[in-house]
Amino acid sequence: MRMIIGGSFQGKSDYARKTYPGTDWVDGRVCPYDAIRTCGGISHLETYIRRVMQEDDGGQYLKLLDSLAETNPEVIVISDEIGYGLVPVDSFERRYRETAGRICTRLAADARQVVRVVCGIGITIKQEEVCKEEQAESGLLKSIMCGSILPEKIEEKSFEMITEELGDTPLIPGTEPIVKRCIHTSADFDYAENLVFSRDVTERIQEALRNGASIVTDTQMAKAGINKKRLEKYGGKVYCFMSDEDVAGEAKRRKVTRAAVSMEKASKLDEELIFAIGNAPTALIRLYELIKEGKLLPKAVIAVPVGFVNVVQSKELILTLEDTPYIVARGRKGGSNIAACICNALLYMME
């Protein structure tokens, strides 16, 4: 984890974007609360803290911030410095200032690097030194080079290690970047075996994206994780209807899941759609029904929900679709982060 702090309007965000190009940023002023679990970086952390303190269940997200270095170890955090000046009279403002100060102190203690930005100039106030250790593993010596790798080279090094560890594992030509990004996201090499690709699916999805297709997902977390700037270059958007009031009302009235109703709402959109499902088996089941009923003709389905109840069965339904391109993570593994990373891998492959 890395941390960038400083006063308001001192150029922290510009500094961060120049220093860490390609990072998937979320804005703490508006992002879903769960986005901090998977995002590459978060700006306006101080406003994020204020928002969650105003929520009835905000305590869980304050606890999540306390363990952020473990939950999202590569995240980059940008925060205004809170606590200088007069002590506020308002009791909430005093609690907010104390809470923001405590959390930032904890994050700074856990961070590998802390930079203070003044007038656009970054001043490093904490930097962990090279931590090179050698350990024996399967008769080989492996080096841990935490401090010797430049930030922008960490991902590159990770993919080199993944390629080396995959060795001669056979992968379908053209799908390698997707498989490797799923492994990079999860540190789980099972994705080299359990990802199933329909014929020419990567080419067909990329053609749809170039033609402005949008992505529909079943969680706000997946929506937050998809690189919207890259998608918008081609005219596409990301939709998630799970939090919509009409969806919640309809689901309650019919006693079905919001995920199923979300798919029905998506089917009424007048545009080309790619579905990326990482959480809800009922979303996949309803998608299958809508396709078989002729009410929906998606450009592709990315089916990677995680869990136990109906997860395996719902994925197997998608595998029976003959005319719908698909990418399926067979078995129980998957998740919103995997759904987002597959979408991002496809977008990155188009550059």
Side-chain angles (χ1 to χ4, degrees), residues 218 257 259 263 277-289 291-292 301-321 326-335:
D218 63 330
T257 67
M263 298 302 103
I277 309 302
N279 182 68
T282 53
L284 282 187
I285 294 168
R286 189 64 185 122
L287 265 180
Y288 172 83
E289 293 171 344
I291 293 168
K292 298 299 283 186
V301 175
I302 297 168
V304 293
V306 60
F308 297 91
V309 179
N310 289 329
V311 167
V312 174
Q313 296 89 335
S314 66
K315 293 176 181 178
E316 293 298 318
L317 281 177
I318 299 302
L319 289 172
T320 68
L321 295 172
Y326 57 73
I327 299 174
V328 177
R330 214 161 196 166
R332 293 172 172 173
K333 294 184 179 182

Side-chain angles (χ1 to χ4, degrees), residues 80-88 96-98 100-101:
D80 281 2
E81 293 181 270
I82 302 296
Y84 296 119
L86 298 174
V87 177
Y96 162 61
R97 189 171 75 161
E98 292 165 2

Side-chain angles (χ1 to χ4, degrees), residues 156-172:
E156 181 181 325
K157 179 64 177 177
S158 295
F159 276 91
E160 289 176 3
M161 295 171 70
I162 290 167
T163 301
E164 180 182 354
E165 190 160 340
L166 281 170
D168 296 329
T169 302
L171 300 177
I172 299 170

Side-chain angles (χ1 to χ4, degrees), residues 105-153:
T105 300
R106 172 61 186 271
L107 294 179
D110 291 340
R112 299 198 302 269
Q113 181 188 59
V114 181
V115 175
R116 189 164 190 263
V117 176
V118 180
C119 297
I121 300 171
I123 305 166
T124 301
I125 59 178
K126 177 184 178 183
Q127 176 68 59
E128 289 189 357
E129 299 299 327
V130 174
C131 53
K132 186 175 183 180
E133 301 174 1
E134 291 188 343
Q135 59 182 12
E137 180 178 326
S138 303
L140 299 175
L141 289 178
K142 294 191 176 181
S143 295
I144 302 173
M145 300 171 289
C146 301
S148 60
I149 303 176
L150 294 173
E152 61 271 20
K153 295 292 184 180

Side-chain angles (χ1 to χ4, degrees), residues 216-344:
V216 177
T217 186
D218 63 330
T219 64
Q220 296 293 345
M221 185 184 298
K223 180 181 178 182
I226 294 171
N227 192 323
K228 285 168 278 296
K229 285 189 177 179
R230 298 239 181 169
L231 184 60
E232 288 166 1
K233 280 176 54 178
Y234 303 102
K237 307 183 211 46
V238 183
Y239 295 106
C240 178
F241 301 122
M242 291 290 287
S243 302
D244 291 7
E245 290 185 8
D246 58 332
V247 168
E250 178 73 6
K252 184 176 181 180
R253 184 182 67 81
R254 289 165 47 192
K255 296 183 179 179
V256 297
T257 67
R258 286 184 295 165
V261 178
S262 291
M263 298 302 103
E264 295 171 357
K265 183 170 181 176
S267 71
K268 296 179 174 63
L269 293 173
D270 186 22
E271 55 184 296
E272 293 186 347
L273 298 173
I274 297 162
F275 288 82
I277 309 302
N279 182 68
T282 53
L284 282 187
I285 294 168
R286 189 64 185 122
L287 265 180
Y288 172 83
E289 293 171 344
L290 290 166
I291 293 168
K292 298 299 283 186
E293 292 166 6
K295 296 177 181 178
L296 182 62
L297 187 62
K299 304 308 289 184
V301 175
I302 297 168
V304 293
V306 60
F308 297 91
V309 179
N310 289 329
V311 167
V312 174
Q313 296 89 335
S314 66
K315 293 176 181 178
E316 293 298 318
L317 281 177
I318 299 302
L319 289 172
T320 68
L321 295 172
E322 296 181 357
D323 299 321
T324 302
Y326 57 73
I327 299 174
V328 177
R330 214 161 196 166
R332 293 172 172 173
K333 294 184 179 182
S336 298
N337 57 338
I338 297 296
C341 90
I342 291 175
C343 293
N344 289 337

Side-chain angles (χ1 to χ4, degrees), residues 188-208:
D188 189 342
F189 279 81
D190 283 354
Y191 285 103
E193 304 289 342
N194 65 19
L195 283 175
V196 183
F197 299 85
S198 65
R199 184 181 178 87
D200 300 325
V201 63
T202 58
E203 294 86 351
R204 294 175 72 173
I205 291 178
Q206 288 175 325
E207 180 183 3

